[in-house]
């Protein structure tokens, strides 16, 4: 099974956000290369909100290029077997935390947002990842900073997408 095939199965099984889910599926049907950055019509990305439920907090990265506090995430790469694997790889790489586990139940949300040309759109498949007890985060090359925020602090530092992802994650737990 290809990453493209996996994404189609994941999206068909995702019951939330029906209009956005259909848009993702239409994109993949029209673009066999729609998983990867070179697709000028946009491409899927995978992300994960790293959470520490025992302390009631989430880990956000201050994105180097965007200057915004965001969840960990990024582009699909050749060799990624599943969309879940993309999200988990990106979360582990960008947080420096090993032993992350995705919250069961598949994606927590979808978020489509514009990016500069030539790519035009990120079609993000968003998951949540549980941090192991006493996890220590380490800043990656892609980040200006990493910081744990209490659940109720997220709205003051992050955009609506991250706030909605946090709310959806807490509802899932």
């Amino acid at each position: 099974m290809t990453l493209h095939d996996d994404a189609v199965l994941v999206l068909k099984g995702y019951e939330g956000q029906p209009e956005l889910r259909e848009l993702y599926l239409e994109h993949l049907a029209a673009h066999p290369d729609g998983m990867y950055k070179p697709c000028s019509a946009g491409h899927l990305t995978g992300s994960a909100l790293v959470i520490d439920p025992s302390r009631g907090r989430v880990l956000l990265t201050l994105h180097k290029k965007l200057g915004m506090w965001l969840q960990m995430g990024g582009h699909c790469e050749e060799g990624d077997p599943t969309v879940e694997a993309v999200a988990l790889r990106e979360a582990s790489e960008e947080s420096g935390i090993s032993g992350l586990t995705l919250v069961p139940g598949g994606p927590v949300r979808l978020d489509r947002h514009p990016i500069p040309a030539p790519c035009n759109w990120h079609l993000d498949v968003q998951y949540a990842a549980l941090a192991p007890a006493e996890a220590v985060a380490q800043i990656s090359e892609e980040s200006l900073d990493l910081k744990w925020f209490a659940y109720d602090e997220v709205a003051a530092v992050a955009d609506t997408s991250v706030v909605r992802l946090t709310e959806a994650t807490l509802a899932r737990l």
Side-chain angles (χ1 to χ4, degrees):
M1 176 182 312
T2 67
L3 181 58
H4 188 280
D5 294 340
D6 174 74
V8 169
L9 286 175
V10 166
L11 291 165
K12 284 183 176 181
Y14 177 67
E15 295 179 0
Q17 301 171 273
E19 289 178 16
L20 195 53
R21 181 187 68 233
E22 287 308 311
L23 187 135
Y24 279 39
L25 287 167
E26 289 169 10
H27 172 80
L28 290 175
H31 303 282
D33 62 342
M35 296 299 300
Y36 301 103
K37 195 174 182 177
C39 181
S40 62
H43 52 274
L44 261 68
T45 55
S47 69
L49 181 68
V50 175
I51 60 172
D52 178 357
S54 68
R55 293 190 173 145
R57 61 189 189 162
V58 301
L59 182 66
L60 299 179
T61 179
L62 184 56
H63 194 278
K64 190 178 270 187
K65 291 181 181 175
L66 301 176
M68 298 170 60
W69 289 103
L70 301 170
Q71 76 275 11
M72 316 302 151
H75 297 107
C76 301
E77 296 177 1
E78 294 294 333
D80 284 328
T82 63
V83 178
E84 280 190 357
V86 172
L88 192 57
R89 175 182 52 74
E90 288 288 341
S92 299
E93 288 174 0
E94 293 183 10
S95 70
I97 298 173
S98 58
L100 294 173
T101 56
L102 293 182
V103 172
V108 176
R109 289 193 84 249
L110 303 176
D111 184 73
R112 179 178 178 255
H113 49 270
I115 57 171
C119 298
N120 300 315
W121 293 99
H122 273 174
L123 289 77
D124 197 27
V125 181
Q126 301 178 325
Y127 293 84
L130 298 170
E134 306 305 319
V136 177
Q138 296 178 358
I139 298 172
S140 75
E141 294 176 359
E142 298 178 42
S143 177
L144 295 172
D145 198 4
L146 284 174
K147 185 174 177 186
W148 290 100
F149 292 94
Y151 298 147
D152 62 1
E153 295 174 329
V154 173
V157 299
D159 72 1
T160 354
S161 171
V162 179
V163 172
R164 288 182 181 148
L165 176 57
T166 303
E167 291 168 351
T169 297
L170 295 177
R172 170 87 52 100
L173 297 178

